[in-house]
Amino acid sequence: ARNKPVEGEAVSSPLEGATSAYLKLDHGAGRLAMHSGAGSAEILNGTFGNGLSYKSHLEGDRLDVKLRTSQQAWAWWPGESLDWDIRLNRDLPLSLKIDSGASASVLDLSDLKVTDLDIDTGASSTELTLPANAGKTHVDIDTGASSLKVSIPAGVAASIRIKSGIASVKVNSRFPRFEGGLYQSSDYGTATNSVDMTIDAGVG
C-alpha cells in the first residue's frame, strides 16, 4: 500500500495487472469532474487541487483505490484548492463510491464500464451521465439540499425508484411511472444495457 500526499499536481495510478477496480472518492468542497481518458495501463489519471491522500492496493485481481481530501485541506475558497479532474480506464469493470460535501460534480460515465455507482452528496450540484454500454449498472444516490440531473444514454433501459422529501422530480417519458415512485422502461427486463437506480433526495 502507498500513501502519497499530492499538492495540486497530476496523479497516475497504474493498473498493476488488475482486471477490475473499486474506487472510493472522499471529496469535500470544490469541483469534481470525472470522465474516461486514462491510458490502457493505468486505472486513472488526473489533476488534484491541494491536499490529496491517495492509497492503492491489489486485492486478488481487483485494484482498490482510495482518494480523499487530506486533513489539512479543510479550508476551501471558490476557484482554488479542491478541484479534482479524474480520467478513468474505459476497458475495466469499475465500482465507484463517491462521498462529497458542498461540491459541484460533473460525472460523465457514458464511455465507462461502471457496474456499481454509489453517490452520497450534501449541499451540491451533480450532473451525471450513466454508461451507454456497461451491461447492467446498479446506481444508488443519496442527496441532500441539492440539484441532481441524471442523463441515461439512448438505448439504455432503466428502472428508477425515487424516494424524496420535498424535491421536485421530473422523469423523461422514456421511463413511464410504474407505481408510486417507481419509473421503468418497457424493455427493462430484456435490454442488454440497463440501469437499476434508487434516488433518495432531500430538499432538491
Side-chain angles (χ1 to χ4, degrees), residues 184-197:
Q184 194 162 291
S185 46
S186 55
D187 58 344
Y188 173 69
T190 56
T192 305
N193 296 301
S194 63
V195 172
D196 167 26
M197 178 163 54

Side-chain angles (χ1 to χ4, degrees), residues 133-147:
N133 194 27
K136 294 199 181 321
T137 301
H138 179 77
V139 181
D140 202 334
I141 301 173
D142 198 331
T143 181
S146 65
S147 147

Side-chain angles (χ1 to χ4, degrees), residues 17-90:
T19 56
S20 68
Y22 167 74
L23 274 72
K24 185 173 190 306
L25 277 69
D26 224 324
H27 183 249
R31 281 182 287 276
L32 171 63
M34 181 180 284
H35 36 101
S36 67
S40 59
E42 55 189 6
I43 187 59
L44 64 86
N45 69 53
T47 50
F48 296 85
N50 289 338
L52 172 71
S53 167
Y54 162 72
K55 291 182 181 176
S56 161
H57 75 277
L58 207 54
E59 189 77 41
D61 57 5
R62 185 188 75 187
L63 189 66
D64 286 2
V65 179
K66 292 184 181 172
L67 303 169
R68 69 177 174 82
T69 308
S70 64
Q71 298 305 319
Q72 65 266 35
W74 59 270
W76 177 75
W77 302 98
E80 67 170 18
S81 75
L82 301 184
D83 292 0
W84 290 5
D85 188 329
I86 304 172
R87 292 172 290 277
L88 298 176
N89 186 308
R90 57 179 293 189

Side-chain angles (χ1 to χ4, degrees), residues 32 98 100-101 103-109 117-130 139-152 160-172 195 197-204:
L32 171 63
I98 301 170
S100 65
S103 64
S105 302
V106 179
L107 312 173
D108 181 0
L109 312 181
L117 174 64
D118 187 340
I119 298 178
D120 202 331
T121 73
S124 65
S125 149
T126 304
E127 286 185 37
L128 168 64
T129 304
L130 290 171
V139 181
D140 202 334
I141 301 173
D142 198 331
T143 181
S146 65
S147 147
L148 172 68
K149 181 180 179 184
V150 180
S151 300
I152 300 174
I160 305 161
R161 184 173 292 283
I162 300 173
K163 309 171 188 170
S164 67
I166 42 180
S168 155
V169 176
K170 292 182 185 144
V171 179
N172 188 286
V195 172
M197 178 163 54
T198 300
I199 299 173
D200 202 331
V203 186

